[in-house]
Amino acid sequence: MNADKRYLVGVDVGGTFTDLCFLNEETGACEIAKVPSTREDQSIGIRNGIAKRLDNLSSVATVIHGTTIGTNALLERKGAKTGVITTAGFRDVLEMRRRDRPRTWGLWGMFNPIVPRDLRLEVKERVLADGTIHTPVDIDAVCTAAETLLSAGAEALCIFFINSYANDANERAAFEALRDRWPNSHITTSSGILPEIREFERASTAALNAYLQPVIGNYLEHLQKDLVADGFAGEVLIVQSNGGVMSANTARKLPVRTALSGPAAGVIAGAYIANSAGFPNIITCDMGGTSFDVSLVADGKSELAAQTSVDFGLVVRTPMIEITTISAGGGSIAWVDRGGLLEIGPESAGSDPGPVCYGLGNDQPTVTDANVVLGRINANRPIGGKIKSLDRGAAEKAIAATIGEPLGLSPMEAAEAIIRVANAKMAGAIRLVSVERGHNPKKFAAMPFGGGGALHAGALIKNVGLSQAIVPRYPGITSALGCIVADMRHDHVATINRSLDELEMEKLSTEIKRFAAEGTDLLRATDVQLSDVETLAELDMLYLGQTHTVAVPLSTNDVGLTREAVRLAFEQAYINAYGRLLDGLTLRVGNLRGAVVGRRPDLDLKALAPCADQSTASITGTRTIWADGGKHEANVFDRLSLAVGADVPGPAILEQTDATTYIDPDLTGRVDEFGNLIISRKDV
C-alpha cells in the first residue's frame, strides 16, 4: 500500500444518518463520524462525513460502502425502464411467478411486474433441458425486438431464454448480436447472472439485475467522480447481501447482489464483535429511523438464504444473509385504528420531516417522540447533529392528542404504551428468527445497535427471554464497522441435475477448481489486503421426488472427491435437518454452489475499548424518567468515559455522540474488555 494511503473508511448510508468508521491500517486506531444523510444525493453525505475526520482524501486507500440504493429502488419501483427478450411462449413468466398471491387468504391483491407486458418481447429459439439446441436463436428477430424496446424508451435489457442454464449458446449469440447495437452496457443475460434450473427465479433475478444496472451504475460513477475531485485515488468497494465485499466494477455488473447491502454489514459487524467478546450465539437487532432488522447468528456464523423476496413477487435468487425486517424504527408513526388498537408503522416520518420533536412539520407521534417524552432521550443532546435540540413539549402534545385522548391515557401512559407496542413488535420479529426455527432464546444474547436499538435492549431481554444483551462500543455506527471487517467474496452456481450415481466426480472437481481460479483472479484485481483466500463449495441435494434441497458441504482440498464421501456428507446434512434418512430412495444432485472468500486481517477491537484506569467522572447528572408506570431517578453517564470493568446498575442512561443506551430499573450493565456494555438481569 502507498505510504500516504493508510485509511480504510467504512460507510453505511441510512435514511436519517450516514455513519462512517475510519481505520488507520498503520496504527490500528479507529475513529467514527455520524452526519445527516442527504437523500437527494447520498454522495454529499458521504463526503461530508469523511471531511469531518480527514482533511485530505489522498490518505484514504479504500472506501467500503454499504448501500440501500438498490433496496430503495426495488421497494419504491424507481429502477430503470427495462425490456425483456425471451423465448416464444415464455413472455409471462415474471407475471405468473409461482402462482402465489399478495394476500394468502382471499382472492384479492394486485401484482405488477417491474417489466410491463408490452416491454416483454418473444423470439424463436429453444434449448432442451439436456442442453440440446432444438432451435437456434433468430438473430434478426432479436435485433428487431431490441429496436422496438429502444423506441419504447428502454434503458436496460434482460435476455432470458428457457433452459439457458443447461446451454447458454443462444443467450450468448443474442448478447453478441446486441452488444454493439444497444446504446449502453446495461445488458443482462439470465445464464450470466444465475445459470440455475427453475425459470421464474432465474428470470426474476436477471430482470431485477437489469432494472438496477443504470441506477447503481450511475450512482457509483457519480460517487467515484466526486471522491476523486476531493483528492481520492483509492478504490471503492461495495458490501454484498451475502456479507462479503466486491469491487465497484463488479457491483455495476451484478447490482442485484446489493439488494440487502446495508443491513448485511450490520450482521457481519455484530457477529465479529460478539465472537471477539465470547458470545457465539446472538440475535442482531438493528434499529434505524424506519425499520428494525433482525438476524440470527449461531456458532459464530450468520445464516445465508439461497433466495429472498425483497418485496412480493420481486424474488432474488442469490446468497443473502437471512434478515427479517419490520416497521419499528425510531421514525415509525404511532396511530390508533378504527377498533381502538394502538399500532406502530408501517408509515414512517423518516428523516424529513422526521419525528414531531424535530420541529420540521410532522404532527404524528413516533417511537422517538415517545422515548423523548419518557426521558430516555436527552432533548438537549440529540445524536447526529441534524437537529440542535428536540422539542419535548411538541412531542408530548402530539402523543396526548393522537394516542392519549382516544385511549383515555395520560401523555406519559400513552408514551409508554407506544414503546410497549414497539417492543412487542420487535420481540415478535426475534421469535420469528429464533423460536419458530427451533432455537432456544435462552442460549442467545441480543445485540442491539443502530441509532435506536440500545434504547430497547432491556425490553428485548425480558420480552423474549434472551440471556443478556451486548451493546457495542459504538452502536450507532456498527454497520459502518461491518464494512471494514467484512471479507471479500465471490459466489458461483452451476446446475448439475443428475442422480448421485450418474455424477461425474472428475467434472465436479474440475468445475470447483474453475470457479476457485476465477474468484481468486477477481480478488487479486483489487488492491485490498487479505490474510488468506478460502474456497467453499456445497451441493444442493435431495431424494428423488422431493422439492426442497439440503445444503451438503464439500471438501475443497487437493484430495479428489469421491461419490461415497458425497453420500456420507448428504446423510449427515439430512439427519441434521430432518432427524432421519429415507432408505432406498435415489439421491439427486441439483446445483453446485461455491464461494471464494478473501479473508481480511483481523481487527483488534480492543483498540476501541476505554482504558481500565480512567479517572474522569462518568456520571454527568440525573434525569427523571418514566418506566413501568411510574417515575424513577436515573443516573446519566458519559458512555465513552466508562472504564473497562465498570458496573452500571439501572435505571441508567448512557449517552454518546452516535446513540443512547437505556438500562431498565431491574437490569444492570458491565463494560467488558472491548468496551461493549453487557446488560443482564440484576438477579443473575
Side-chain angles (χ1 to χ4, degrees):
M1 179 186 295
N2 187 308
D4 293 333
K5 296 179 183 178
R6 58 186 182 275
Y7 283 99
L8 286 180
V9 181
V11 181
D12 176 60
V13 180
T16 306
F17 295 109
T18 295
D19 305 323
L20 301 97
C21 185
F22 301 79
L23 171 65
N24 187 321
E25 292 194 288
E26 292 180 0
T27 65
C30 279
E31 295 183 90
I32 69 165
K34 195 178 191 76
V35 297
S37 293
T38 49
R39 188 174 178 86
E40 69 282 359
D41 182 353
Q42 290 189 2
S43 67
I44 296 174
I46 294 174
R47 293 161 66 199
N48 290 343
I50 295 176
K52 200 170 183 179
R53 289 288 177 264
L54 300 176
D55 295 329
N56 193 335
L57 268 68
S58 64
S59 62
V60 177
T62 311
V63 173
I64 308 172
H65 184 9
T67 175
T68 56
I69 292 283
T71 313
N72 294 340
L74 293 178
L75 293 176
E76 298 172 11
R77 300 296 183 97
K78 292 182 178 179
K81 191 170 186 179
T82 302
V84 171
I85 298 178
T86 188
T87 307
F90 291 88
R91 184 183 188 183
D92 297 317
V93 166
L94 282 178
E95 200 152 355
M96 293 173 68
R97 306 178 310 282
R98 289 291 172 189
R99 302 310 300 146
D100 49 354
R101 50 185 185 262
R103 301 284 182 251
T104 302
W105 308 111
L107 300 177
W108 61 286
M110 294 290 293
F111 170 72
N112 294 315
I114 57 165
V115 182
R117 198 168 194 269
D118 62 328
L119 295 180
R120 305 194 302 262
L121 305 182
E122 299 178 347
V123 297
K124 289 184 179 180
E125 78 83 34
R126 190 60 184 232
V127 174
L128 303 183
D130 64 359
T132 302
I133 297 180
H134 181 274
T135 306
V137 61
D138 185 339
I139 295 298
D140 290 338
V142 168
C143 294
T144 300
E147 291 172 1
T148 301
L149 293 172
L150 284 172
S151 299
E155 306 166 68
L157 177 64
C158 170
I159 302 173
F160 160 65
F161 293 161
I162 195 69
N163 294 332
S164 62
Y165 68 89
N167 185 341
D168 66 349
N170 280 353
E171 278 196 355
R172 281 189 289 109
F175 173 79
E176 291 298 331
L178 296 180
R179 182 159 55 177
D180 295 329
R181 294 171 180 261
W182 197 259
N184 55 50
S185 61
H186 306 318
I187 305 177
T188 295
T189 62
S190 71
S191 57
I193 294 295
L194 187 70
E196 184 179 338
I197 195 170
R198 298 191 178 185
E199 65 270 15
F200 166 64
E201 288 76 11
R202 182 159 42 89
S204 177
T205 304
L208 292 176
N209 192 79
Y211 186 70
L212 293 177
Q213 268 190 316
V215 177
I216 297 294
N218 292 342
Y219 169 70
L220 290 178
E221 182 180 2
H222 176 56
L223 172 63
Q224 287 178 301
K225 283 183 177 179
D226 285 350
L227 292 176
V228 168
D230 289 345
F232 178 64
E235 186 169 14
V236 175
L237 303 177
I238 305 298
V239 178
Q240 303 179 66
S241 304
N242 60 21
V245 174
M246 60 183 168
S247 69
N249 286 336
T250 303
R252 289 188 181 95
K253 298 174 185 175
L254 303 172
V256 75
R257 293 187 179 179
T258 70
L260 292 178
S261 169
V267 177
I268 291 300
Y272 194 92
I273 293 168
N275 281 329
S276 299
F279 292 87
N281 298 324
I282 63 165
I283 297 173
T284 62
C285 307
D286 182 0
M287 184 178 180
T290 302
S291 64
F292 179 75
D293 304 325
V294 297
S295 185
L296 185 136
V297 177
D299 296 325
K301 296 180 180 180
S302 54
E303 298 189 358
L304 287 179
Q307 176 176 310
T308 301
S309 293
V310 178
D311 196 4
F312 177 78
L314 304 185
V315 172
V316 177
R317 189 161 179 81
T318 186
M320 294 188 180
I321 292 178
E322 289 197 17
I323 298 172
T324 298
T325 300
I326 62 170
S327 55
S332 294
I333 293 174
W335 54 288
V336 178
D337 68 13
R338 289 184 298 177
L341 294 178
L342 176 57
E343 302 279 1
I344 303 294
E347 288 190 49
S348 173
S351 59
D352 188 10
V356 175
C357 58
Y358 278 18
L360 299 179
N362 174 40
D363 59 0
Q364 300 299 306
T366 67
V367 174
T368 293
D369 291 312
N371 275 314
V372 170
V373 169
L374 295 172
R376 300 173 189 182
I377 292 178
N378 186 347
N380 297 317
R381 193 183 175 185
I383 65 173
K386 182 178 178 69
I387 303 295
K388 298 303 180 183
S389 63
L390 304 178
D391 191 339
R392 184 183 183 280
E396 185 172 336
K397 288 180 181 178
I399 290 173
T402 306
I403 308 299
E405 292 179 11
L407 299 181
L409 301 175
S410 70
M412 302 305 287
E413 290 172 335
E416 190 167 25
I418 291 172
I419 298 301
R420 284 181 174 174
V421 172
N423 288 339
K425 289 190 68 173
M426 296 178 200
I430 293 174
R431 292 189 188 97
L432 186 65
V433 302
S434 58
V435 178
E436 295 191 20
R437 296 183 184 176
H439 296 284
N440 183 353
K442 292 182 180 179
K443 296 181 179 180
F444 287 79
M447 177 167 282
F449 56 86
L455 285 164
H456 301 264
L460 301 180
I461 294 174
K462 294 184 288 186
N463 289 7
V464 184
L466 299 168
S467 61
Q468 49 202 328
I470 314 161
V471 182
R473 173 78 164 161
Y474 296 104
I477 56 90
T478 299
S479 292
L481 177 64
C483 296
I484 287 178
V485 301
D487 295 321
M488 298 286 292
R489 179 174 174 131
H490 294 285
D491 287 285
H492 169 90
V493 62
T495 290
I496 296 173
N497 200 24
R498 293 177 179 272
S499 70
L500 179 58
D501 292 336
E502 298 171 335
L503 186 62
E504 298 179 53
M505 303 307 298
E506 187 174 339
K507 285 188 176 181
L508 178 63
S509 296
T510 300
E511 180 69 9
I512 293 174
K513 291 176 182 177
R514 184 183 68 81
F515 83 67
E518 290 178 356
T520 301
D521 288 344
L522 287 171
L523 294 180
R524 289 174 177 166
T526 63
D527 187 26
V528 177
Q529 293 184 19
L530 301 175
S531 61
D532 189 23
V533 175
E534 182 181 2
T535 299
L536 308 175
E538 65 183 27
L539 295 174
D540 292 341
M541 295 183 64
L542 69 169
Y543 286 110
L544 183 64
Q546 291 182 327
T547 299
H548 299 289
T549 62
V550 294
V552 179
L554 300 179
S555 171
T556 57
N557 56 32
D558 292 334
V559 179
L561 285 170
T562 65
R563 192 171 282 105
E564 185 59 26
V566 173
R567 185 187 306 277
L568 292 174
F570 167 79
E571 290 177 351
Q572 185 60 58
Y574 200 89
I575 287 174
N576 291 343
Y578 300 109
R580 62 184 291 266
L581 301 177
L582 303 179
D583 296 328
L585 295 183
T586 299
L587 298 183
R588 195 159 186 86
V589 179
N591 304 299
L592 167 66
R593 299 187 188 279
V596 180
V597 181
R599 302 294 183 192
R600 294 278 299 134
D602 289 338
L603 172 65
D604 185 0
L605 293 177
K606 288 185 179 179
L608 302 177
C611 297
D613 58 351
Q614 285 175 290
S615 58
T616 54
S618 298
I619 297 179
T620 60
T622 62
R623 189 155 71 239
T624 301
I625 64 166
W626 184 280
D628 302 324
K631 292 182 179 180
H632 301 264
E633 282 299 312
N635 286 324
V636 180
F637 293 82
D638 177 1
R639 161 94 191 262
L640 299 184
S641 70
L642 286 168
V644 170
D647 291 316
V648 186
I653 295 168
L654 292 79
E655 297 179 344
Q656 58 192 104
T657 56
D658 61 301
T660 298
T661 303
Y662 168 63
I663 301 178
D664 296 54
D666 54 345
L667 301 178
T668 187
R670 175 181 55 82
V671 180
D672 74 0
E673 60 181 321
F674 300 99
N676 303 312
L677 184 69
I678 312 299
I679 300 177
S680 57
R681 297 172 179 82
K682 287 182 176 179
D683 56 356
V684 175

